[in-house]
Each structure stands twice: as C-alpha cells, then as structure tokens.
Amino acid sequence: LFRPAWAPSNSRFLNPYIVCFITVAVVVILAVIVGLLIHFLAFNQKACFYHSSFQILNVEYNDQLSSPATQECRSLSEKIESMIAKTLRESNLRNQFMRAHVVKLRPNGSGGVIADVVMKFRCTRGNNGGSMKGRVQAILQQMQNNSGNLEINPSTGITSITDHDTENFFTQECGARPDLITLSEERIIGGTLAEEGDWPWQVSLQLNNVHHCGGTLISNTWILSAAHCFRSYSNPQQWTATFGISTTSPILKVRVRTILLHNNYKTATHENDIAAVQLERAITFTRNIHSVCLPEATHNIIPGSTAYVTGWGSITYGGSTVTDLRQGQVTIISSNVCNASTNYNGAVLSGMLCAGIPAGGVDACQGDSGGPLVQEDSRRLWFLVGIVSWGYQCGLPDKPGVYTQVTAYRDWIKEQTGV
C-alpha cells in the first residue's frame, strides 16, 4: 500500500528549528564555560606583595651603596634581584612569582649589607597569604644555590604587605613611577597628556598664583629649577609650588621659603642657569608626589638615548601655557652636533645638554622653563639629567631644546640643598 502524499514523514533530517535551538544551546554552554574559566584564571587572582630582608655577608657597606645613582648600588641590587628571581623561577612557584625589587641597601651593624626587598606574586583571592608566605620562605632558604659570588644569609622572616605598604616602600626612595610601584611589567608611556602620578616629581612654580615655570622635587623640602625664572622675581613671598598634573586644581600647594640662584648665572649666554627652591615646610611623600633621583657627577649621558621632558608650557611658540601636564619623548643630542653651524653654532657651552628630535615637533617651550628632563635606568628608576633652559623658538628642525646639565652641577646642588 502507498501512504497518502500528505501523511507526515519520518525524515532523516532534523527540523531546522530544533537544529537552531541545539546550536544556540551549545554556544551558550561554551560561553558559560569560557566565562567561568576567564573568571577563575583572571578575576580570581590578585597581586600579593611580600617584604623580606637579606644579609649580604661578603660585601662591606659603604656610602656608595646608599645612593641608587652609583654603579656600585645598581650592580649589587641587580645581582640580588637576579638571584631571587632565579631561585623562585626554578621552584614550584615559578607561575606565581612576578618580580622582585631591592628598595634599599643599608648597613647591618657589623660592616655587612642588608637588602630590603619587595616581591610580587600572583595569588588567588581566597588565599589568606599564610600558605603562600610559608612556601616563599621555604624556597628562599635554599637561595645559597643561586647566590653566585654573593654570600647570602637568607631571610628568616617574610612579611605580607598591603598595596599601601608597598607604595610607602617605593615613595620613600627616589625615582619610582607607578609601573615600578606596582612592579608591573608594562612600561608604556603613551600620548602627550600625562596621568596623575606619572611624573610625581613635577612641580609648578607659580608667581602670584599663576604658573610661571616648572621645577623638579629632589627631596621633601627642595626643588630644582632654572635661574632665569627668578631673574625679575626673586622675592620668595611671591611664589608657591603646586603638585599634581593640573595647575588650576593641584593636589597640594606649598609656599616657598628660599630661592637660591647660582652666583655665576649669566643672562646673555645662559650659563649656570640653575636655582634651588626651598619649600616653607617639608611635604609628605605619596604615590603621586615624591622625589626624582639625582645622578652622580660622573654619570654618563649617552647621545642617542631616550629622555622625557614634561611641563605646562605652550604647545606652539608664542602660545599660552596649558593647564594639564604634557610629556614629550626626545633624544639626547651630542654637543658637537648641537654646536654645528646649522644648529646653535657654538652657543651650547659646557654645563649644557641638548635634547630633541632632528625633524622637530617635540620640544620644551615657554612655560616649561625650569622643568625636568629625565631618563630611566636599568632598574626602572628615573633620574634628572637636565633642567629646561633655552632654545631657538620651539620644536624647529635642527634647533633642539637646551638644558642645564645636572651632572655638571652635582656639587653645587649638594652644597646648597644637602641632597
């Protein structure tokens, strides 16, 4: 018998609506699974910070180790950081360990050295810290195997510290930007506008409450700037220093007590264009306000290396200053190149430093005077290498900015400020 043509058929193919429903259900289930994995792997993790102190037995403490600017301090710190990283990356905590940083070297009382170290790990949010701390401590006890030519007395105590404690460790020392304070691997400086805390040593020196020049915080009471900023306005009572990225809404404002100009500052040639400004009171360092590092007098500033200039100066020659802090990446230019007949034709004297880009376009300008030119070292600490001094207009090809070279005035800075 034949089935009627209209009778329902048991087709080999599923109803398209059912296929669609099953597909959607599978996609939803997969999305939920992926979401749970992402939540577990990313959102269920947090950064854990630990502090520990290590005794270095075969290194004798000396004053060179007190300054992060010296090669001796930098070299020993890097050896200790490398040793800790090697030990932890060869352990079962290799996936949790992120970074270690020596925040300070100090004497141990018997002639040796104590290194204060902050370490960062990935932890799960449910982790109370106790078990991780015990594991870290047990691994670091075996550190002699990775100590190379250093004799280490591994720490017997490791302390869990909060994000705020970590900030305090870094802000009491000089030259730390936010990426170092968080021990982040990201080192990107993007765009032209700075964010709060990016350049925590930047100061706006304001004349009768209006931004006039930049400055750089080198201690909790002293600022470096350019002598020409105060040539016509030397009365400290007219000046205030503000901190933060905005000149109109600063996060801190402090009166000026003293202005010290270099005795041999010469207006005509811009020689010795440096000034030390003392605040009326000591300020408390925070994540967003703390000092830059000063280089040693023997520090080598290499032509072709990258530097950053920051300030509230005008964007175009003859324009008005801006209210939000801006940043520019420039390159150190040798004095020989800078003094060529097509450039400054011999006007760049000893004690001066050129920085810019050959094609122009990135430069300090009016209102940036006295502000910082900084460079980063191998340990991600920032050093003041120049003070915005002079230049022909702004951002022109072959007419880079000329800066007071800080290394040439290191002794003067020490005499005036004690820093």
Side-chain angles (χ1 to χ4, degrees):
L1 295 173
F2 295 98
R3 288 180 294 174
W6 51 265
S9 170
N10 292 324
S11 170
R12 291 175 299 167
F13 301 102
L14 292 173
N15 186 302
Y17 294 107
I18 295 174
V19 172
C20 182
F21 174 79
I22 292 172
T23 302
V24 170
V26 169
V27 169
V28 169
I29 291 168
L30 287 173
V32 169
I33 292 170
V34 170
L36 288 172
L37 283 171
I38 291 172
H39 176 79
F40 179 77
L41 294 175
F43 297 102
N44 198 40
Q45 289 190 339
K46 63 176 183 177
C48 294
F49 294 94
Y50 296 97
H51 167 251
S52 191
S53 299
F54 299 85
Q55 289 193 29
I56 316 301
L57 304 175
N58 63 333
V59 176
E60 188 173 337
Y61 186 84
N62 61 65
D63 288 341
Q64 291 284 298
L65 295 176
S66 67
S67 169
T70 66
Q71 185 55 46
E72 195 172 343
C73 178
R74 188 177 295 119
S75 177
L76 180 56
S77 297
E78 286 179 336
K79 282 181 182 178
I80 295 167
E81 289 161 359
S82 176
M83 172 192 64
I84 293 169
K86 189 172 189 295
T87 300
L88 288 163
R89 284 176 180 144
E90 290 175 352
S91 74
N92 57 12
L93 286 178
R94 66 180 67 87
N95 293 326
Q96 284 78 35
F97 172 70
M98 297 178 74
R99 284 197 64 204
H101 188 87
V102 173
V103 288
K104 190 170 188 177
L105 298 173
R106 53 190 171 92
N108 68 359
S110 58
V113 177
I114 293 177
D116 289 311
V117 180
V118 172
M119 294 167 285
K120 183 180 182 181
F121 292 82
R122 294 183 185 90
C123 301
T124 57
R125 293 193 180 276
N127 179 31
N128 60 12
S131 60
M132 172 71 87
K133 185 170 73 171
R135 291 170 66 193
V136 174
Q137 189 162 312
I139 291 165
L140 292 180
Q141 289 296 315
Q142 309 160 17
M143 200 157 58
Q144 291 100 325
N145 297 333
N146 285 314
S147 60
N149 58 359
L150 294 178
E151 291 181 19
I152 304 291
N153 185 5
S155 171
T156 55
I158 292 179
T159 307
S160 298
I161 55 176
T162 64
D163 292 358
H164 181 68
D165 294 332
T166 304
E167 284 183 16
N168 285 341
F169 272 111
F170 282 98
T171 55
Q172 296 317 305
E173 306 305 316
C174 66
R177 291 183 78 243
D179 58 346
L180 181 58
I181 291 174
T182 59
L183 292 180
S184 167
E185 293 301 326
E186 295 181 5
R187 305 170 69 175
I188 298 169
I189 303 170
T192 55
L193 284 175
E195 295 184 8
E196 199 71 78
D198 277 354
W199 310 104
W201 39 81
Q202 176 78 53
V203 182
S204 166
L205 289 168
Q206 303 198 350
L207 178 65
N208 299 320
N209 297 313
V210 176
H211 173 77
H212 187 71
C213 272
T216 309
L217 191 64
I218 61 168
S219 77
N220 60 359
T221 53
W222 285 100
I223 294 163
L224 286 184
S225 189
H228 77 259
C229 291
F230 310 96
R231 187 178 59 209
S232 303
Y233 310 98
S234 58
N235 181 3
Q237 294 182 345
Q238 294 179 284
W239 292 89
T240 51
T242 71
F243 303 85
I245 60 173
S246 170
T247 56
T248 53
S249 304
I251 54 179
L252 180 66
K253 190 171 186 175
V254 183
R255 290 184 178 278
V256 167
R257 171 179 290 172
T258 310
I259 299 171
L260 303 174
L261 307 187
H262 196 289
N263 287 336
N264 293 321
Y265 167 60
K266 297 177 181 176
T267 306
T269 59
H270 314 288
E271 288 175 272
N272 306 309
D273 190 11
I274 187 169
V277 177
Q278 186 181 29
L279 296 171
E280 190 176 64
R281 62 178 176 85
I283 61 174
T284 301
F285 287 167
T286 66
R287 178 192 180 96
N288 295 333
I289 305 173
H290 56 268
S291 62
V292 74
C293 294
L294 289 176
E296 295 287 287
T298 55
H299 179 80
N300 188 23
I301 302 169
I302 303 169
S305 59
T306 297
Y308 287 86
V309 59
T310 52
W312 293 275
S314 55
I315 300 172
T316 57
Y317 179 68
S320 301
T321 57
V322 297
T323 57
D324 293 317
L325 185 65
R326 297 176 71 86
Q327 60 201 14
Q329 180 180 315
V330 291
T331 300
I332 302 296
I333 299 169
S334 73
S335 293
N336 287 339
V337 171
C338 212
N339 271 325
S341 57
T342 53
N343 291 23
Y344 286 118
N345 198 27
V348 177
L349 308 177
S350 64
M352 298 179 187
L353 177 69
C354 291
I357 56 175
V362 181
D363 195 6
C365 209
Q366 299 104 320
D368 289 321
S369 289
L373 178 74
V374 293
Q375 288 191 301
E376 187 183 31
D377 78 349
S378 59
R379 300 186 59 243
R380 294 166 66 172
L381 294 173
W382 289 82
F383 287 80
L384 180 69
V385 295
I387 297 168
V388 179
S389 180
W390 64 278
Y392 180 72
Q393 296 193 16
C394 309
L396 295 180
D398 300 321
K399 294 292 186 288
V402 185
Y403 299 77
T404 304
Q405 186 170 320
V406 172
T407 54
Y409 295 91
R410 194 63 189 88
D411 292 340
W412 183 89
I413 295 167
K414 180 74 172 177
E415 289 168 8
Q416 305 300 319
T417 70
V419 180

